[in-house]
């Protein structure tokens, strides 16, 4: 891949999914794109990149697969346990004190470990609450996997408490199937975080964790601003433990909770 081809590819990622790939990450692009050569009958990565700019149906499918390949889908159950402790013991009880319903958005849901972790937590600790969880991702592949809610032994080994594994999963010939009662709490939708969220409604809690690190500073500020606008007044935004909202952001107040830091919408 030449420098010119890599620059074109970086621009493609920014314009189509907001991912900002540093110019020292050419090796990463090449390693992620190489498996696609045989699938799309291309002789080289250069040919593959040139195909991205055409308007054929094959190119549209290629663009989707490239985004799939470049989107990091590292995920596991109850990731950053301290945040789930905060949700269980502090934020959710406060929200349910005034209402028996809860709307939660898991943005960047990958194959479902985050939204289903939330659904299991709510079912286990707040079984009488009416729960509506929206799970979104930019990857069609991840959404398809999430909707199936079928996981391998190795996937379950990454963070799944034994009690929940016994209670909510059934072993099948092709893996471990999540209980239908938990699946029904989660609704899947393809969402590009660069696009409008107006049609999604408002939420009491939004989780957007380990996602913003891939965006430019300008895109990150825009996304956080629109996430804030998607919260009910007093609602909560959770980023990962290592992420912060942009310094100049208004409308969100940092909260130092009992278990972790998060943000609350003010006004």
């Amino acid at each position: 891949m030449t420098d010119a081809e890599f620059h074109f590819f970086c621009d493609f990622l920014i314009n189509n999914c907001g991912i900002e790939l540093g110019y020292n990450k050419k090796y990463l692009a090449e390693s992620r794109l190489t498996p696609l050569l045989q699938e799309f009958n291309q002789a080289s990565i250069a040919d593959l990149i040139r195909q991205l700019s055409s308007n054929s149906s094959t190119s549209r499918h290629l663009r989707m697969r490239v985004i799939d390949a470049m989107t990091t889908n590292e995920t596991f159950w109850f990731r950053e346990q301290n945040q789930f402790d905060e949700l269980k013991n502090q934020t959710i009880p406060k929200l349910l004190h005034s209402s028996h319903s809860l709307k939660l958005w898991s943005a960047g849901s990958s194959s479902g470990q985050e939204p289903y972790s939330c659904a299991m937590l709510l079912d286990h600790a707040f079984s009488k609450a009416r729960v509506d969880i929206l799970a979104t991702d930019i990857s069609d592949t991840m959404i398809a996997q999430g909707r199936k809610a079928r996981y391998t032994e190795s996937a379950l080994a990454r963070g799944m408490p034994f009690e929940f594994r016994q209670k909510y999963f059934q072993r099948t010939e092709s893996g471990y199937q999540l209980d239908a009662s938990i699946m029904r709490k989660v609704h899947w939708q393809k969402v590009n975080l660069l696009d409008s969220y107006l049609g999604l409604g408002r939420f009491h809690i939004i989780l957007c964790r380990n996602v913003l690190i891939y965006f430019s500073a300008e895109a990150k500020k825009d996304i956080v601003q629109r996430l804030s606008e998607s919260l009910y007044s007093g609602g909560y935004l959770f980023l990962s433990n290592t992420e912060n909202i942009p310094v100049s952001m208004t409308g969100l107040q940092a909260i130092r909770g009992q278990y972790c830091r998060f943000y609350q919408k003010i006004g």
Side-chain angles (χ1 to χ4, degrees):
M1 185 188 302
T2 66
D3 287 345
E5 290 162 349
F6 182 61
H7 290 174
F8 171 85
F9 183 66
C10 289
D11 288 341
F12 165 82
L13 288 179
I14 289 175
N15 293 332
N16 286 273
C17 59
I19 294 175
E20 187 174 50
L21 196 63
Y23 288 116
N24 62 336
K25 295 293 181 68
K26 185 191 294 187
Y27 73 92
L28 177 63
E30 290 174 337
S31 67
R32 297 285 180 88
L33 294 178
T34 297
L36 299 180
L37 295 180
Q38 183 176 0
E39 180 180 343
F40 288 91
N41 195 30
Q42 298 295 317
S44 67
I45 291 178
D47 293 336
L48 196 76
I49 290 174
R50 280 192 288 272
Q51 186 71 20
L52 287 173
S53 60
S54 71
N55 268 334
S56 68
S57 59
T58 299
S59 297
R60 288 192 290 273
H61 180 55
L62 171 61
R63 287 193 285 273
M64 180 191 73
R65 292 288 290 114
V66 165
I67 291 172
D68 278 351
M70 295 306 300
T71 303
T72 300
N73 294 310
E74 172 70 14
T75 184
F76 48 92
W77 304 97
F78 296 93
R79 187 176 187 177
E80 297 179 311
Q81 180 64 51
N82 62 330
Q83 295 197 3
F84 282 94
D85 291 338
E86 187 73 33
L87 287 167
K88 176 183 176 181
N89 297 309
Q90 298 294 323
T91 56
I92 292 176
K94 289 177 182 177
L95 289 167
L96 293 178
H97 180 72
S98 57
S99 173
H100 291 294
S101 63
L102 182 71
K103 288 188 64 180
L104 184 149
W105 176 15
S106 169
S109 294
S110 188
S111 52
Q113 280 83 337
E114 179 176 277
Y116 289 137
S117 291
C118 293
M120 286 184 284
L121 173 69
L122 285 159
D123 182 79
H124 184 74
F126 307 97
S127 59
K128 294 183 180 180
R130 295 191 301 272
V131 177
D132 184 13
I133 298 174
L134 174 65
T136 68
D137 203 90
I138 194 173
S139 167
D140 290 303
T141 301
M142 290 298 102
I143 291 173
Q145 290 184 20
R147 283 177 172 153
K148 290 179 181 177
R150 188 176 302 120
Y151 300 94
T152 63
E153 177 82 37
S154 60
L156 280 191
R158 304 194 68 192
M160 176 58 64
F162 179 77
E163 178 184 10
F164 282 13
R165 175 172 174 160
Q166 293 292 101
K167 182 177 181 179
Y168 295 116
F169 287 88
Q170 179 70 39
R171 187 167 188 171
T172 68
E173 292 182 358
S174 56
Y176 289 82
Q177 181 64 53
L178 181 60
D179 190 88
S181 65
I182 300 300
M183 294 175 64
R184 284 194 293 268
K185 296 179 186 294
V186 179
H187 307 282
W188 287 86
Q189 186 171 336
K190 182 175 181 176
V191 171
N192 185 333
L193 290 177
L194 297 179
D195 297 337
S196 172
Y197 315 150
L198 291 177
L200 303 181
R202 290 183 180 269
F203 301 89
H204 299 99
I205 299 172
I206 297 177
L207 282 70
C208 185
R209 307 185 305 159
N210 303 290
V211 175
L212 297 176
I213 55 176
Y214 301 106
F215 291 90
S216 67
E218 181 180 358
K220 179 178 178 179
K221 182 178 180 181
D222 174 63
I223 290 169
V224 173
Q225 181 63 54
R226 290 185 291 118
L227 290 175
S228 173
E229 293 168 359
S230 297
L231 283 169
Y232 287 116
S233 179
Y236 302 106
L237 171 66
F238 282 78
L239 306 180
S240 76
N241 289 329
T242 58
E243 294 176 299
N244 300 290
I245 64 173
V247 175
S248 58
M249 281 291 304
T250 59
L252 289 171
Q253 177 183 3
I255 302 293
R256 180 66 64 178
Q258 182 175 346
Y259 301 91
C260 67
R261 184 194 65 226
F262 54 98
Y263 300 91
Q264 184 172 30
K265 182 173 182 177
I266 54 177

